[in-house]
Amino acid sequence: MAKIAVGRAEAAGAADPALSPALGNVDQALRQAVNARTVPGVVAIAANDKGIVYEGAFGPSITADSIFWIASMTKAITGAACMQLVEQGKLELDQPMGKLIPQLEEPRVLEGFDASGAPKLRPAKRAITLRHLLTHTAGFTYSIWSEPMTQYEKVTGTPFVGECRNASFNAPLMFDPGDRWEYGINMDWVGKAVEAVSDQSLEVYFKEKIFTPLGMTDTGFLISSSQKARVAPMFSREGDGSLKPMDFEMPQRPEFFMGGGALFSTPRNYMAFLQMLLHEGRFNGAQVLKPETVAVMRQNHIGDLNVVTLKTVHPESSNDANLFPGMTQKWGLSFDINTEPGPAGRSAGSLAWAGLFNTYFWLDPNKRVTGTIMTQLLPFADDQVLKLFAKFESGLYAAVA
């Protein structure tokens, strides 16, 4: 049933025959994985600074314009929106956020639970800054990878942030701001800051300032009926490795727009965003960010702290996750940064991140390439998808080298 939607740059292949064999191998690997039901439908797209060099879509009714829930790939877009406001002097990276968002004025740190199971909280030692939030060093966590936060949600009835209910923002810190890197709901707070300063909802702000200028007409929080008809089906990986269909949709009457993870998009739309970053903030005739801003976003903003493995507490949602096990990794605004060359070809200093449903992207400013691979599958950090991602990446570098 697999098919390839070759809106791929045939012109690029024709102009440069050297592109074809390595990318043909990518085609073959993706097609075989879908045919064998190793992964559900999958789309991969890559570009260099001249344009799209590869596009492949495999699976029943899957195309490069299929709709995917991109989860935490939302974060890079929220980061870009935030940095637009930093450019305008409306936000500052080191400003304490309590003045803008009163709920962050007196943050509390969870120290544990008393004999009755009630949480023990103490005042944080320092204020939360915008930079803390952009770099996951503020102290907030996700319950998926945090046992204390899982317990806190259980005993207090605090909803998981993915429910898009404002009560999620009652979550305490798990450590003092600036003390370490731990992945969490920080970018949802950044979304709140963007809304507070712009006096617009994220849905409207993103559309006006990022999506419309870049031609991203199929990206948003609120999905239309016609878009819903193009949604790629969601699956879960069962214990025996098989794929089981599951129903999924992000809340469509949310109490807040989740800057950390609620967007849907298409692979082609997201590539427009990535190409904007590859072209130093300008793409499709639109200047979304200044070149110096993009340069700042690519830098390490956590100093001597390091990105660590996400250790799962909820194996139905995520496996243990680390994009580069054993490698020192840093964090930009808002990306993982590999400090050494990657095994599949990417340069040191490249940017990357991913979404919970096994969507991934990377951007290599040195070799001037960027790519994304999307499927819809839980749990996160699926081994089979990661293997395909590596084949896609290495094939691309072999083709464009």
Side-chain angles (χ1 to χ4, degrees), residues 286-308:
Q287 189 81 47
V288 174
L289 292 164
K290 295 176 181 174
E292 53 268 35
T293 302
V294 177
V296 166
M297 293 171 76
R298 296 201 301 238
Q299 294 166 3
N300 167 28
H301 285 267
I302 61 173
D304 294 335
L305 301 178
N306 292 317
V307 171
V308 297

Side-chain angles (χ1 to χ4, degrees), residues 147-391:
E147 185 63 61
M149 190 60 210
T150 294
Q151 192 173 343
Y152 183 86
E153 287 180 355
K154 197 176 292 179
V155 300
T156 63
T158 302
F160 175 64
V161 70
E163 296 178 30
C164 298
R165 289 161 57 196
N166 279 316
S168 299
F169 290 100
N170 297 329
L173 307 183
M174 298 295 134
F175 54 91
D176 286 295
D179 275 9
R180 65 178 192 260
W181 182 94
E182 193 166 340
Y183 196 48
I185 66 168
N186 304 278
M187 295 303 291
D188 301 300
W189 285 109
V190 174
K192 291 275 192 185
V194 169
E195 290 184 333
V197 168
S198 67
D199 197 28
Q200 289 181 310
S201 71
L202 283 190
E203 172 80 0
V204 171
Y205 184 95
F206 285 1
K207 188 172 185 178
E208 289 186 358
K209 303 298 195 299
I210 298 175
F211 301 156
T212 298
L214 292 176
M216 296 170 66
T217 54
D218 274 323
T219 307
F221 294 103
L222 303 178
I223 191 165
S224 71
S225 302
S226 61
Q227 288 166 331
K228 201 174 284 194
R230 286 187 279 132
V231 169
M234 186 77 68
F235 294 84
S236 62
R237 173 86 67 198
E238 300 300 283
D240 62 0
S242 65
L243 303 176
K244 180 183 174 186
M246 61 180 285
D247 289 328
F248 180 83
E249 184 173 276
M250 285 303 299
Q252 289 300 288
R253 296 175 66 188
E255 291 183 8
F256 72 96
F257 292 113
M258 186 184 168
L263 285 174
F264 64 85
S265 189
T266 67
R268 280 184 181 152
N269 269 204
Y270 204 81
M271 275 306 296
F273 177 75
L274 292 174
Q275 286 173 281
M276 177 274 292
L277 293 173
L278 188 68
H279 290 278
E280 322 297 337
R282 185 176 182 82
F283 188 65
N284 200 28
Q287 189 81 47
V288 174
L289 292 164
K290 295 176 181 174
E292 53 268 35
T293 302
V294 177
V296 166
M297 293 171 76
R298 296 201 301 238
Q299 294 166 3
N300 167 28
H301 285 267
I302 61 173
D304 294 335
L305 301 178
N306 292 317
V307 171
V308 297
T309 298
L310 305 182
K311 294 278 193 184
T312 188
V313 181
H314 296 268
E316 74 286 355
S317 296
S318 178
N319 298 300
D320 289 353
N322 190 322
L323 294 183
F324 292 100
M327 186 191 294
T328 298
Q329 295 160 72
K330 300 297 180 178
W331 199 262
L333 306 175
S334 161
F335 313 93
D336 184 75
I337 302 170
N338 54 295
T339 60
E340 303 164 33
R346 81 180 72 171
S347 312
S350 294
L351 314 176
W353 203 233
L356 188 67
F357 311 115
N358 283 286
T359 62
Y360 301 85
F361 74 87
W362 89 98
L363 191 145
D364 186 334
N366 182 38
K367 294 182 181 171
R368 308 293 297 162
V369 295
T370 183
T372 183
I373 185 167
M374 295 190 187
T375 185
Q376 297 282 261
L377 176 66
L378 285 176
F380 176 58
D382 181 77
D383 189 51
Q384 297 295 338
V385 178
L386 290 171
K387 285 176 184 170
L388 274 187
F389 184 10
K391 286 179 181 175

Side-chain angles (χ1 to χ4, degrees), residues 8 18-28 53-54 392 395-396 399-400:
R8 169 157 75 251
L19 278 180
S20 305
L23 294 177
N25 291 340
V26 173
D27 265 10
Q28 195 175 353
V53 293
Y54 176 81
F392 167 44
L396 177 73
V400 299

Side-chain angles (χ1 to χ4, degrees), residues 63-78:
T63 76
D65 289 318
S66 291
I67 301 282
F68 290 77
W69 294 102
I70 62 169
S72 286
M73 282 168 57
T74 302
K75 288 178 170 67
I77 292 171
T78 303

Side-chain angles (χ1 to χ4, degrees), residues 27-108:
D27 265 10
Q28 195 175 353
L30 296 176
R31 184 185 288 109
Q32 284 176 347
V34 172
N35 283 346
R37 298 282 293 161
T38 308
V39 299
V42 62
V43 179
I45 308 186
N48 61 13
D49 49 12
K50 296 181 185 68
I52 301 295
V53 293
Y54 176 81
E55 180 179 291
F58 303 86
S61 71
I62 296 293
T63 76
D65 289 318
S66 291
I67 301 282
F68 290 77
W69 294 102
I70 62 169
S72 286
M73 282 168 57
T74 302
K75 288 178 170 67
I77 292 171
T78 303
C82 173
M83 294 306 291
Q84 288 180 331
L85 296 169
V86 171
E87 283 182 352
Q88 297 163 30
K90 295 175 181 176
L91 286 170
E92 294 176 15
L93 290 177
D94 294 312
Q95 75 182 80
M97 295 307 287
K99 296 281 186 287
L100 182 64
I101 303 173
Q103 217 174 336
L104 295 178
E105 183 72 78
E106 295 178 354
R108 316 263 294 166

